[in-house]
Amino acid sequence: MVSSKLQAFWNHPIGPKTIHFWAPAFKWGITVANVADFTKPTEKISYPHQITVMGSGFIWARYSTQIIPVSFIFSKTDYF
């Protein structure tokens, strides 16, 4: 039972063998690392890390403005 669910997860079209899985995982990794900096004194905060977080935020903000949501319930002709 568990192995079949694990195999289904592993072989899923957006499972761990694809960028659709790993890109958000790494993005969340950057966010979690940034939260860890909340407890550090100001002089010990990593500027390259903060620049990476800022750049990543700009990229994701731009990307989110370019996405066109698609609903597969209706045909493409129903949108226009």
Side-chain angles (χ1 to χ4, degrees):
M1 179 81 165
V2 173
S3 65
S4 65
K5 287 186 179 186
L6 186 59
Q7 188 175 23
F9 171 70
W10 183 257
N11 293 322
H12 195 273
I14 55 171
K17 293 194 275 185
T18 66
I19 191 69
H20 300 289
F21 178 84
W22 290 109
F26 281 109
K27 174 62 178 149
W28 277 106
I30 292 171
T31 303
V32 169
N34 194 41
V35 169
D37 280 350
F38 288 170
T39 60
K40 288 184 179 178
T42 308
E43 2 358 286
K44 292 194 176 195
I45 292 177
S46 169
Y47 290 108
H49 177 74
Q50 295 304 314
I51 291 169
T52 302
V53 170
M54 182 182 67
S56 175
F58 284 141
I59 290 168
W60 282 98
R62 173 69 177 151
Y63 177 72
S64 67
T65 64
Q66 301 304 309
I67 295 173
I68 300 171
V70 176
S71 173
F72 293 106
I73 296 172
F74 304 106
S75 69
K76 296 235 180 211
T77 56
D78 292 336
Y79 290 116
F80 304 107

